[in-house]
Amino acid sequence: MSTPPSTVIEVAVAVPLDRTFHYLVPPGMVERAVAGHRVFVPFGHRRLTGYILGTVEGISGDKLKDIIEVLDSDPLWTPNELDFFRWIASYYLYPLSEVLKTALPAGINLQSKKGAQGVNGEIAGGRSIKRERFYRPVDGPEPQRQPGSKASEILDVIREAGDIPAGDLRRRFGQCTSQLHRLAELGLVQAEEREVYRNPFGEEPIERDTPRALIRHQADALGSIISELDQRLFTPFLLHGVTGSGKTEVYLQAIAHALQQGSNALVLVPEISLTPQLVRRFRARFDDPIAILHSGLSDGERYDEWRRIRRGQARIVIGARSAVFAPLERIGIIVVDEEHEASFKQADGLRYNARDLALVRGQMEKSVVVLGSATPLITSLHAVEQGKLTLLTLPERVEGRPMPTVAVVPMQGIKETVSHQLALALQETLAAGEQALVFLNRRGFATFLVCGDCGEPLTCPNCSVTLTFHRQRRQSVCHYCDHAVPSPGVCPACNSFEMKELGAGTERVEHELRELLPDAAIVRMDSDTTSGKGSHNRLLKRMSDRTADILIGTQMIAKGHDFPGVTLVGVINGEASLNMPDFRSSERTFQLLSQVIGRAGRGEFPGRVIVQTLNPSHYAIQNAVGHNGADFFRQELEFRREAGYPPFAFLASLSFSGVVEKCVEERAEETARSLHAMKKEFRLRIEILGPAMAPLYRLRGRFRRQILLKALTRNDLRRLVSSWQARRETSATVRETLDIDPVDMM
Ligand code: ADP
Ligand code: ZN
Ligand code: ZN
């Protein structure tokens, strides 16, 4: 007697363990228990959700438990996508089930349930699927009607439309449920519940746009991309084009080519809600369906977009970093716009970098990957020299527009926030009917209060930072934990009433500019003025429809915007980001300044820029001001080589935090000791730095320490970190986080 062979599957169970589990599939479920589906499984005494990775051969099912239920009717992922997620789990040393959970849109994940009951209902009901009632006319004999009655008019509209959502009828006729019931009873119309997608674009109308005739450099770049698209092989490009050189136009035409070939396109951007213009340009250019994915969507909207993509109903996906997980098939091209942006790195949970993962996914999908930037990462430029990325260059702005002229104003010993030169330039610009941007890097240099008697600054009791003074709110606020105190109040150290303002925030600049230019229409854009939904758009719109003369803002205004009316850009404190305790501070400063400078003179008239700074001779500032990317790259690369930082080393950081300082300190010390021991044991070439106090030593009431690992090979780094993970015991009092390729060093 032979029993039929049993089916064994590999399942990533939703627990934070970096291993997978085997289960047995009861005969009745075999057909549906395939890779990409979620399952409900027994796990210890609990029942949990898991993700099927595939069937396994050659394993005895004797000791295995049965799965309880297959949860999805269609697979969530293709085998290709599952391979991608396995790669991610192994690279970031993160549990696969957690990777899969991160890759799913919020709202789709089931909580673990005590019993299997309710599970079916929950999936079928699809909590977040939106349904709408539609009405359709039914063919039949013409009934007797009361001409002019509401019901009769409704019937005409339904017949005319052929098919109409109930919401539209209500908008037109007001409350009309009873009439619709009556019409349905008479068999004249039929109601139907249908699944609909929420529309994240709103009702904004879009004007059609056609491809531009390319200038020579654009045409060369496009030619190279297209010939690789035709080969259908993985080819990674770095599109290095100065601001306003027409990179987006190259993306658009390359994507058009991929679509023609029947492939799809994935476009990653730093933050969509900050760059609505880019999405608009895509919608204006393509008739093909576009899906967008970013953090500004509601859970429902995101889930809808995800399903549209999974079902092959979107040809182009545009999204922020999480879009790198989009369930898009047949990807012909992946574009990463502004590849240098730090926001491609996820700051908690699975700390992936979407720019890096775009290359991995491109390799797996055999797609062309285009990383675009006016200020590429040092590591990208280095990769070009190593032959790992193919360089495409757009050295000029389109239509022969000149790069702006830049003047540096040294600010040592100057009391005013807005220099005489900048004030004069602003007056001239407004007199000519043109617009200006005034940029302020607030990080680490905000307005804060200092006691005039004892000299103590007003600091946060929970975090090691000064509180930022907000004049309008009459409060001092911590930008990390939101702790707020009425201000200006008394000095907590000596009870003096002599609290003085120091530093310059956006609010202070706005205040000064209003005094200097009483007739100017000034708007301010920072996290205080943009917390409401759509507020970004409204502020940006005032610049594009030219009802505003001057836009003051933080980093938010430095990026991607294209305001043809802006001919002057003022930078208040060009050196602020240099003071960050981070090996990338020069690179960031150079990028930020170059980007801000690039906002000037993008239209008909040439632009000029005034950079105020306390550090006019620093190479990051000098090279940004001189539009000199090549020299900056040389100098910065030399610094990285000498100091042993990427691209000459591979980094991982371990952070420890907790409310009891001593516990954090001991735990970090203990970890460092065991790391040193393992390093010796395995003979690894790794530098173990720290534990040191994190630059933000206290954050939201927690003390923070960190260890930085610097390795010459990725293998050594992996070996050490995974051994540490395998041997450590979790601590009840200290939270530990691992960050592979850390970007935030604070
Ligand atoms: P980038 O993405 O490099 O900053 P954009 O693609 O936004 O540059 O181009 C800057 C401006 O020039 C946009 O207004 C764009 O429509 C326009 N533009 C781009 N390419 C061309 C071209 N070949 N001919 C005319 N205008 C162009
Ligand atoms: Zn005091
Ligand atoms: Zn705080």
Side-chain angles (χ1 to χ4, degrees):
M1 268 209 356
S2 70
T3 46
S6 49
T7 306
V8 175
I9 53 172
E10 184 186 10
V11 177
V13 182
V15 285
L17 294 174
D18 53 2
R19 52 161 299 199
T20 55
F21 298 87
H22 292 135
Y23 286 92
L24 213 54
V25 182
M29 298 181 199
V30 168
E31 250 165 52
R32 288 174 58 217
V34 292
H37 284 253
R38 282 174 303 176
V39 278
F40 211 46
V41 294
F43 192 86
H45 297 297
R46 291 181 294 168
R47 294 157 173 231
L48 297 176
T49 308
Y51 309 88
I52 305 181
L53 302 168
T55 48
V56 236
E57 307 292 326
I59 284 192
S60 151
D62 290 353
K63 295 213 173 107
L64 300 178
K65 291 183 186 165
D66 279 3
I67 61 169
I68 299 166
E69 177 69 83
V70 179
L71 294 180
D72 304 289
S73 48
D74 300 305
L76 299 174
W77 293 298
T78 63
N80 263 357
E81 287 160 4
L82 288 172
D83 283 346
F84 178 52
F85 298 132
R86 278 184 195 266
W87 190 97
I88 293 171
S90 135
Y91 183 85
Y92 289 107
L93 298 163
Y94 207 72
L96 179 58
S97 64
E98 298 285 318
V99 172
L100 295 171
K101 216 161 126 187
T102 310
L104 282 175
I108 200 178
N109 276 305
L110 273 178
Q111 297 298 312
S112 74
K113 283 267 179 310
K114 292 241 167 52
Q117 269 160 3
V119 167
N120 277 326
E122 207 155 339
I123 288 295
R127 191 173 14 184
S128 36
I129 291 179
K130 185 175 172 187
R131 286 163 199 284
E132 218 172 282
R133 181 173 287 247
F134 282 71
Y135 283 94
R136 255 203 322 238
V138 178
D139 286 338
E142 182 65 18
Q144 272 212 321
R145 304 211 230 173
Q146 265 184 325
S149 74
K150 192 167 172 184
S152 170
E153 276 179 33
I154 292 173
L155 180 60
D156 284 339
V157 168
I158 295 175
R159 284 184 169 168
E160 167 123 10
D163 181 67
I164 190 167
D168 286 8
L169 292 171
R170 239 172 283 122
R171 263 192 289 284
R172 197 153 159 177
F173 293 102
Q175 183 53 265
C176 55
T177 319
S178 62
Q179 286 86 354
L180 285 167
H181 270 304
R182 181 103 191 93
L183 291 170
E185 268 170 29
L186 290 170
L188 295 168
V189 300
Q190 201 176 34
E192 187 182 280
E193 293 287 325
R194 226 180 282 161
E195 187 180 326
V196 294
Y197 299 125
R198 280 148 280 227
N199 176 8
F201 295 126
E203 303 296 331
E204 185 194 18
I206 288 288
E207 257 176 64
R208 271 289 140 234
D209 157 59
T210 47
R212 303 257 151 81
L214 298 183
I215 60 171
R216 187 171 60 86
H217 294 293
Q218 285 176 312
D220 289 350
L222 181 68
S224 307
I225 295 172
I226 283 181
S227 78
E228 294 303 319
L229 278 172
D230 290 341
Q231 311 266 328
R232 293 172 198 263
L233 289 176
F234 167 60
T235 318
F237 288 104
L238 176 66
L239 178 60
H240 183 182
V242 298
T243 50
S245 59
K247 293 183 290 296
T248 312
E249 188 61 37
V250 173
Y251 306 150
L252 289 168
Q253 298 198 22
I255 288 169
H257 190 86
L259 295 180
Q260 257 168 24
Q261 291 179 327
S263 315
N264 299 323
L266 178 60
V267 182
L268 303 182
V269 295
E271 180 49 79
I272 296 196
S273 54
L274 297 185
T275 50
Q277 285 177 334
L278 183 97
V279 177
R280 233 175 272 139
R281 279 170 79 178
F282 273 79
R283 296 179 61 208
R285 183 64 60 87
F286 296 106
D287 284 323
D288 311 80
I290 297 175
I292 59 171
L293 290 171
H294 64 88
S295 58
L297 301 181
S298 68
D299 283 355
E301 284 171 339
R302 203 169 339 177
Y303 181 35
D304 284 357
E305 292 295 83
W306 193 90
R307 281 179 303 138
R308 277 180 65 213
I309 301 165
R310 175 77 296 162
R311 293 171 180 174
Q313 292 166 351
R315 299 290 310 278
I316 302 173
V317 175
I318 308 175
R321 59 175 175 261
S322 67
V324 77
F325 305 125
L328 186 69
E329 293 177 57
R330 285 177 294 114
I331 302 178
I333 182 168
I334 305 179
V335 171
V336 183
D337 189 29
E338 311 287 0
E339 66 107 24
H340 62 278
E341 281 288 330
S343 66
F344 284 119
K345 173 86 172 176
Q346 168 80 20
D348 50 25
L350 169 61
R351 295 166 185 238
Y352 64 95
N353 190 322
R355 175 245 176 235
D356 300 346
L357 289 185
L359 291 167
V360 175
R361 190 152 187 206
Q363 188 162 30
M364 292 184 162
E365 303 268 352
K366 298 197 171 45
S367 7
V368 164
V369 180
V370 181
L371 309 175
S373 176
T375 50
L377 292 168
I378 294 295
T379 46
S380 296
L381 293 168
H382 183 70
V384 167
E385 293 198 329
Q386 302 278 301
K388 292 177 188 155
L389 292 174
T390 303
L391 182 65
L392 307 169
T393 327
L394 305 179
E396 304 160 0
R397 288 186 158 184
V398 291
E399 300 187 332
R401 284 167 203 154
M403 290 303 281
T405 51
V406 190
V408 178
V409 178
M411 292 297 279
Q412 297 99 322
I414 292 178
K415 271 219 324 281
E416 290 79 22
T417 310
V418 177
S419 65
H420 174 65
Q421 290 92 325
L422 179 54
L424 198 68
L426 283 165
Q427 275 158 359
E428 288 166 5
T429 303
L430 298 196
E434 294 162 11
Q435 293 172 297
L437 294 184
V438 175
F439 171 78
L440 178 81
N441 194 334
R442 190 166 49 172
R443 286 197 75 156
F445 204 73
T447 307
F448 57 101
L449 298 177
V450 172
C451 176
D453 282 335
C454 76
E456 284 290 313
L458 193 59
T459 57
C460 177
N462 311 315
C463 313
S464 15
V465 292
T466 50
L467 298 177
T468 305
F469 178 53
H470 293 249
R471 186 193 301 263
Q472 270 166 4
R473 284 161 65 181
R474 310 196 119 264
Q475 279 184 328
S476 287
V477 181
C478 171
H479 286 180
Y480 290 95
C481 76
D482 283 337
H483 176 83
V485 294
S487 285
V490 291
C491 169
C494 75
N495 291 325
S496 158
F497 282 92
E498 290 296 310
M499 298 303 282
K500 290 203 172 109
E501 264 179 70
L502 218 74
T506 40
E507 214 183 303
R508 162 98 168 267
V509 174
E510 182 184 4
H511 187 79
E512 279 195 26
L513 286 182
R514 284 192 194 286
E515 279 181 358
L516 271 167
L517 307 158
D519 298 329
I522 300 177
V523 291
R524 172 162 65 94
M525 185 159 145
D526 54 30
S527 49
D528 293 327
T529 62
T530 55
S531 46
K533 200 179 173 177
S535 47
H536 269 119
N537 255 332
R538 271 196 301 283
L539 290 175
L540 293 175
K541 193 148 179 300
R542 291 200 53 193
M543 284 303 280
S544 47
D545 67 18
R546 303 185 77 152
T547 54
D549 301 316
I550 301 177
L551 174 63
I552 305 171
T554 51
Q555 271 100 314
M556 280 181 197
I557 69 166
K559 297 174 186 165
H561 308 304
D562 189 9
F563 302 119
V566 170
T567 56
L568 174 67
V569 168
V571 179
I572 297 293
N573 50 353
E575 72 292 334
S577 49
L578 281 179
N579 303 329
M580 309 285 282
D582 182 330
F583 74 91
R584 292 187 185 87
S585 65
S586 299
E587 180 180 20
R588 296 256 169 79
T589 303
F590 175 81
Q591 288 165 345
L592 196 54
L593 278 182
S594 304
Q595 296 283 345
V596 185
I597 289 170
R599 296 309 114 204
R602 293 168 70 91
E604 218 178 313
F605 301 107
R608 65 166 156 163
V609 180
I610 291 178
V611 178
Q612 302 182 172
T613 178
L614 290 167
N615 203 344
S617 56
H618 192 282
Y619 70 102
I621 294 180
Q622 293 247 312
N623 285 317
V625 160
H627 311 296
N628 202 342
D631 281 1
F632 177 73
F633 171 59
R634 285 282 144 243
Q635 292 179 53
E636 183 63 12
L637 198 66
E638 216 28 64
F639 157 69
R640 301 283 179 93
R641 196 195 307 273
E642 277 167 19
Y645 280 115
F648 303 104
F650 300 96
L651 304 185
S653 78
L654 295 177
S655 317
F656 306 83
S657 78
V659 289
V660 184
E661 185 171 16
K662 195 148 176 35
C663 295
V664 178
E665 198 182 323
E666 277 170 6
R667 180 77 176 181
E669 294 289 351
E670 189 186 297
T671 305
R673 275 195 299 276
S674 84
L675 288 170
H676 279 288
M678 283 187 279
K679 168 186 164 176
K680 214 163 156 193
E681 181 185 344
F682 304 131
R683 299 164 182 272
L684 303 174
R685 285 173 305 166
I686 287 191
E687 230 181 301
I688 301 168
L689 302 171
M693 290 188 193
L696 264 170
Y697 181 50
R698 253 193 112 198
L699 187 61
R700 296 179 197 98
R702 302 176 71 87
F703 294 90
R704 305 163 73 237
R705 262 164 212 266
Q706 56 196 28
I707 295 175
L708 185 66
L709 306 177
K710 271 173 152 186
L712 283 178
T713 69
R714 201 165 272 296
N715 260 343
D716 280 11
L717 189 68
R718 272 187 66 84
R719 183 91 192 274
L720 185 62
V721 174
S722 56
S723 312
W724 164 73
Q725 281 183 324
R727 292 183 190 183
R728 76 175 158 159
E729 282 155 25
T730 48
S731 152
T733 49
V734 180
R735 192 185 298 155
E736 288 169 342
T737 44
L738 165 68
D739 194 346
I740 302 281
D741 306 330
V743 165
D744 181 0
M745 312 301 285
M746 297 294 283

